[in-house]
Amino acid sequence: MTPSFEQWRRDWQAMEEDADLLLAAHDLRGGRGGLEDPSLPPAEIYRRLRRVALRRSRLELGLLVVLLAGTLIVIERIVTGHLTFIWVGPLSGLSLSLGLRLTESRRRVRDLDAILEEWQSTT
Amino acid sequence: MESVESTLQRYRGALARVVSSYARSRADREDLAQEIRLGLVRAWPRFRGESSERAYVFRVAHKVALNYAHRRKRGRLEFSEPEEPTDPRPSPEAQLAGQQRARQLLIEVRELRDPYRQVAILALEGLEPREIAEVLGVTSNVASVRLHRAKAMLAERWKETEP
């Protein structure tokens, strides 16, 4: 039997999603001095989030460079007749997606920079 | 005005449910949660009290979540691990049944198209059509019609998936 919307609403609101997701990136969470520590000043939270975002964007940049190098090698192999064109599709798709991820990570670092700047100017 | 940190603390449960309604895997949920947090921090100084605080928080969260979902759709590539099952904690039977209904409901909500998903989430969080209209920037009539359709779609999907 289909429950009433009221019933759904009660079930929904009782659903305990991982609310700590909002606190921080997973590798920074928990413990004293971690991001769940209520005594941690907000500016420090954002500084740590920025560090994580920056590390991630560097990692993505590194991967992208490796992927592009791989693509060049594959293109060279195609031109010389050792490989077929079929390899170009997945590689370029992967590079594009990774590029989009990198753009997002860079944007997040910029957002965090702006937040920290605002913080500094108001304190 | 209250600080954004205490507002985040107060709405963390509801915001976590918004996150789960738009992102499936753990990595994506973490990403989106951070985006929402940043979005709220940036938007908070612009809150002038024209709408309720709750409506403002949901408006920002849904805007960020929709943008995120669209970007993900464009990118297509999922580096993230597949959705993981929730670890069921020991609980009384009734509570377990409620949790199972809620998980099933979450799956159905995720399948709705964006306009209906938005109203469904907001109504499930207890917002009235007038408040939903405020959050989405539409008239109360439009919000009511969308809500009516969203409820019908959920009920239909529920019937289809029922064992």
Side-chain angles (χ1 to χ4, degrees), chain A residues 1 7 9 11-13 15-18 20-23 26 46 56 97 104 107-108 118, chain B residues 5 12 17 20 26 30-31 35 37 41-42 71 75 77 89 101 103 123-125 162:
Chain A
M1 207 178 78
Q7 179 64 57
R9 187 176 288 161
D11 294 339
W12 181 267
Q13 290 182 12
M15 182 164 57
E16 288 174 9
E17 282 305 290
D18 188 357
D20 293 337
L21 283 176
L22 284 157
L23 286 178
H26 59 96
Y46 293 106
R56 181 171 150 171
S97 296
E104 270 181 39
R107 190 180 45 76
R108 187 173 300 166
E118 277 168 32
Chain B
E5 291 304 319
R12 59 196 280 207
R17 287 191 288 273
S20 292
R26 171 91 196 176
E30 283 186 347
D31 259 6
E35 296 264 321
R37 184 192 180 112
V41 171
R42 305 226 61 192
R71 282 204 307 274
L77 184 73
R89 282 176 289 181
R101 273 199 306 270
R103 300 310 302 182
L124 287 166
E125 287 298 340
E162 227 172 12

Side-chain angles (χ1 to χ4, degrees), chain A residues 27-40:
Chain A
D27 52 346
L28 285 174
R29 217 184 286 139
R32 194 172 159 71
L35 288 183
E36 279 175 11
D37 185 347
S39 62
L40 202 67

Side-chain angles (χ1 to χ4, degrees), chain A residues 76-89:
Chain A
E76 189 264 337
R77 305 286 285 170
I78 289 169
V79 171
T80 53
H82 291 91
L83 282 174
T84 58
F85 269 106
I86 208 160
W87 287 91
V88 175

Side-chain angles (χ1 to χ4, degrees), chain B residues 66-135:
Chain B
L66 263 186
N67 281 341
Y68 184 87
H70 288 166
R71 282 204 307 274
R72 277 286 171 277
K73 237 184 250 171
R74 256 203 330 258
R76 280 289 172 203
L77 184 73
E78 287 286 335
F79 289 120
S80 332
E81 73 274 24
E83 184 173 5
E84 34 183 87
T86 351
D87 29 328
R89 282 176 289 181
S91 56
E93 203 175 291
Q95 202 182 337
L96 193 62
Q99 281 176 11
Q100 280 169 350
R101 273 199 306 270
R103 300 310 302 182
Q104 182 61 35
L105 182 61
L106 180 63
I107 292 168
E108 306 302 347
V109 165
R110 280 178 185 154
E111 295 299 319
L112 292 176
R113 285 197 292 125
D114 289 340
Y116 302 111
R117 177 162 45 170
Q118 281 182 315
V119 288
I121 296 167
L122 293 167
L124 287 166
E125 287 298 340
L127 274 73
E128 297 298 324
R130 183 186 49 78
E131 277 182 295
I132 296 176
E134 255 180 44
V135 172

Side-chain angles (χ1 to χ4, degrees), chain A:
Chain A
M1 207 178 78
T2 310
S4 68
F5 198 75
E6 268 316 305
Q7 179 64 57
W8 271 340
R9 187 176 288 161
R10 280 195 296 275
D11 294 339
W12 181 267
Q13 290 182 12
M15 182 164 57
E16 288 174 9
E17 282 305 290
D18 188 357
D20 293 337
L21 283 176
L22 284 157
L23 286 178
H26 59 96
D27 52 346
L28 285 174
R29 217 184 286 139
R32 194 172 159 71
L35 288 183
E36 279 175 11
D37 185 347
S39 62
L40 202 67
E44 180 56 24
I45 294 178
Y46 293 106
R47 256 193 291 278
R48 291 186 189 189
L49 287 176
R50 184 186 179 279
R51 259 205 308 271
V52 172
L54 195 62
R55 203 185 308 147
R56 181 171 150 171
S57 75
R58 282 178 184 156
L59 179 71
E60 285 167 352
L61 182 63
L63 278 172
L64 188 62
V65 169
V66 171
L67 203 60
L68 288 175
T71 309
L72 283 179
I73 292 169
V74 167
I75 290 173
E76 189 264 337
R77 305 286 285 170
I78 289 169
V79 171
T80 53
H82 291 91
L83 282 174
T84 58
F85 269 106
I86 208 160
W87 287 91
V88 175
L91 276 174
S92 52
L94 211 57
S95 307
L96 183 69
S97 296
L98 197 54
L100 285 173
R101 289 249 170 185
L102 179 61
T103 314
E104 270 181 39
S105 303
R106 296 299 307 164
R107 190 180 45 76
R108 187 173 300 166
V109 173
R110 278 200 305 276
D111 282 352
L112 283 160
D113 279 340
I115 287 169
L116 281 165
E117 254 175 48
E118 277 168 32
W119 224 288
Q120 275 161 0
S121 63
T122 52
T123 51

